[in-house]
Amino acid sequence: MGKADVNVNIWLSEKKRFANLFNGVIYGGRQVILPEDLEEVNTVSSVSVKNRTGKTRNMKKYRDIIMKWRNQATLVLLANESQDKVHYAMPHKVMLYDGMDYETQIRNNWKNFNDRRKQNKKAGLPLEHLTAGEYLSRFRKKDRLIPIISLVFYYGSEPWDGPVDLYDMFQLEGTKEEKEILEKYLPNYKINLVDAERLEDVEKFSDDLQVILTMLRYRDSKEELTDYINENKKFFQNVDYETSQAMKAFLNMKQIPGEAEHKEEMIDMCKAIQEMYDDGVKDGIQQGVEQGRTELLKEQIQRKLKKEKTPTQIAEELEESVEVIEKIIKEMQ
């Protein structure tokens, strides 16, 4: 996971914002998932797999964010994966993460059942009868899993052109009819993709999430972004540290002035973005100066080479290092 993803995940993991994201995607903006009903869950999932020789291999996967949501009698796990680049195997990745989390639930259910069984045996209580199928599957007929809803929060600047389900990852040959038959029996797994920059109905999100998602539409245009920032100056002049770091990732900013010293304070992102553009202009001018100087050196070196002077002689006359002169001569050849 890159630093940009880390900053975005820290921003999204705030419970109110996390609930806002899922409410917008699942419930069209209705406030069904409440922050106080969310509980953070360990992001690590692990499974043990035995190969043909009986050797056990442990596999671990790390979710970006996962929370438990309990609403009255409903219990659901909500997970999010953040991406700044297209992941062309994302349906498989999400399917694997979900599968490992379900495996963890099955394993924990079985362990809890055995622990209770041992306690009952010690206490002389009657033991629950298990069928052969329940022993085989290590999952009782009455056991149930907690469902998982996974989102993929994509904030890359290029449109998502990767697969959104397993069907997109298959290469199915044959006639249309033959493909339809195969698709009927092939298992599919579709991801819930949130293409942040290209969301059409950002109004279903509330608070700062709506403001930031709208901002992404303008990040490739200095004029449009500046206009949008100025239109929402009241918000952008007082941004908390986590939001400033997420904006830094979204806008590909190198740094925010004073960010290290002001973690506990509100940050003026209007000023930070203006400085970013000002620095860009300065860098462009500096690059232009350096390029002009290099072109002048090439012309001078060309004239001196025609007089059959050596790189060492040219370096002395132009007061440059021999390495620089040799490098330019090599580029000219």
Side-chain angles (χ1 to χ4, degrees), residues 67 69 74-78 102 105 144-149:
M67 293 197 189
W69 171 47
T74 304
L75 183 60
V76 180
L77 290 175
L78 305 175
Y102 285 132
Q105 290 184 46
R144 292 294 180 267
L145 297 174
I146 302 172
I148 303 169
I149 299 176

Side-chain angles (χ1 to χ4, degrees), residues 214-305:
T214 305
M215 179 199 73
L216 295 181
R217 297 176 176 179
Y218 309 115
R219 60 181 169 181
D220 293 331
S221 169
K222 174 185 174 183
E223 290 75 19
E224 289 182 319
L225 178 61
T226 302
D227 288 345
Y228 180 74
I229 296 294
N230 288 332
E231 288 170 7
N232 295 272
K233 187 174 288 187
K234 186 176 179 181
F235 172 84
F236 288 107
Q237 281 182 332
N238 293 281
V239 169
D240 60 71
Y241 180 76
E242 286 74 21
T243 302
S244 75
Q245 294 304 295
M247 287 183 64
K248 179 180 176 181
F250 293 144
L251 300 177
N252 198 26
M253 300 173 71
K254 293 180 180 178
Q255 62 181 10
I256 298 172
E259 60 183 328
E261 298 83 16
H262 302 292
K263 288 187 178 183
E264 305 302 323
E265 301 176 15
M266 304 303 281
I267 296 174
D268 186 348
M269 289 303 294
C270 297
K271 181 179 178 182
I273 290 171
Q274 186 57 54
E275 290 189 18
M276 174 184 73
Y277 285 130
D278 290 344
D279 289 343
V281 171
K282 292 176 185 176
D283 290 343
I285 293 172
Q286 183 62 32
Q287 289 173 7
V289 170
E290 291 175 359
Q291 185 176 355
R293 183 172 179 276
T294 301
E295 291 302 319
L296 177 61
L297 268 176
K298 286 181 179 179
E299 292 177 9
Q300 293 173 326
I301 292 170
Q302 190 83 39
R303 289 197 295 268
K304 293 182 183 295
L305 286 174

Side-chain angles (χ1 to χ4, degrees), residues 31-267:
Q31 299 304 299
V32 178
I33 303 171
L34 302 178
E36 56 266 29
D37 294 333
L38 294 174
E39 178 186 340
E40 292 184 19
V41 177
N42 188 355
T43 59
V44 182
S45 296
S46 61
V47 293
S48 298
V49 182
K50 285 187 178 180
N51 59 21
R52 293 179 180 178
T53 62
K55 187 176 181 180
T56 301
R57 177 180 170 227
N58 294 319
M59 182 188 300
K60 282 188 178 182
K61 293 292 181 182
Y62 297 83
R63 291 269 198 182
D64 283 354
I65 314 170
I66 184 166
M67 293 197 189
K68 185 185 294 182
W69 171 47
R70 184 183 293 278
N71 178 24
Q72 297 177 354
T74 304
L75 183 60
V76 180
L77 290 175
L78 305 175
N80 177 73
E81 298 299 317
S82 298
Q83 288 288 137
D84 66 338
K85 294 181 178 60
V86 177
H87 193 304
Y88 291 98
M90 185 54 74
H92 169 264
K93 180 180 179 181
V94 174
M95 181 181 70
L96 181 60
Y97 282 8
D98 288 353
M100 290 180 69
D101 283 334
Y102 285 132
E103 167 63 23
T104 299
Q105 290 184 46
I106 292 171
R107 191 170 62 238
N108 288 341
N109 283 348
W110 188 252
K111 180 181 181 301
N112 292 337
F113 165 73
N114 278 325
D115 289 344
R116 290 194 304 271
R117 191 180 178 89
K118 290 176 183 177
Q119 291 173 2
N120 289 343
K121 189 174 182 179
K122 282 184 180 180
L125 299 174
L127 302 181
E128 180 181 340
H129 173 72
L130 293 180
T131 66
E134 289 174 319
Y135 269 116
L136 175 65
S137 56
R138 291 177 172 262
F139 193 78
R140 297 174 301 165
K141 186 177 179 180
K142 63 182 180 182
D143 283 342
R144 292 294 180 267
L145 297 174
I146 302 172
I148 303 169
I149 299 176
S150 295
L151 298 185
V152 176
F153 184 82
Y154 172 64
Y155 59 95
S157 57
E158 297 297 324
W160 181 277
D161 61 353
V164 295
D165 57 35
L166 276 183
Y167 282 175
D168 290 343
M169 297 180 68
F170 295 145
Q171 184 174 351
L172 302 179
E173 304 291 348
T175 64
K176 181 180 178 181
E177 182 182 4
E178 289 170 339
K179 290 179 182 178
E180 287 176 350
I181 292 173
L182 286 174
E183 288 179 354
K184 180 180 178 181
Y185 292 97
L186 281 169
N188 197 9
Y189 205 90
K190 185 177 179 64
I191 62 174
N192 298 303
L193 179 68
V194 180
D195 194 339
E197 183 176 327
R198 282 154 284 275
L199 283 171
E200 295 180 0
D201 46 357
V202 292
E203 294 77 15
K204 64 186 180 182
F205 301 97
S206 59
D207 303 326
D208 64 341
L209 191 58
Q210 181 182 130
V211 179
I212 297 299
L213 290 176
T214 305
M215 179 199 73
L216 295 181
R217 297 176 176 179
Y218 309 115
R219 60 181 169 181
D220 293 331
S221 169
K222 174 185 174 183
E223 290 75 19
E224 289 182 319
L225 178 61
T226 302
D227 288 345
Y228 180 74
I229 296 294
N230 288 332
E231 288 170 7
N232 295 272
K233 187 174 288 187
K234 186 176 179 181
F235 172 84
F236 288 107
Q237 281 182 332
N238 293 281
V239 169
D240 60 71
Y241 180 76
E242 286 74 21
T243 302
S244 75
Q245 294 304 295
M247 287 183 64
K248 179 180 176 181
F250 293 144
L251 300 177
N252 198 26
M253 300 173 71
K254 293 180 180 178
Q255 62 181 10
I256 298 172
E259 60 183 328
E261 298 83 16
H262 302 292
K263 288 187 178 183
E264 305 302 323
E265 301 176 15
M266 304 303 281
I267 296 174

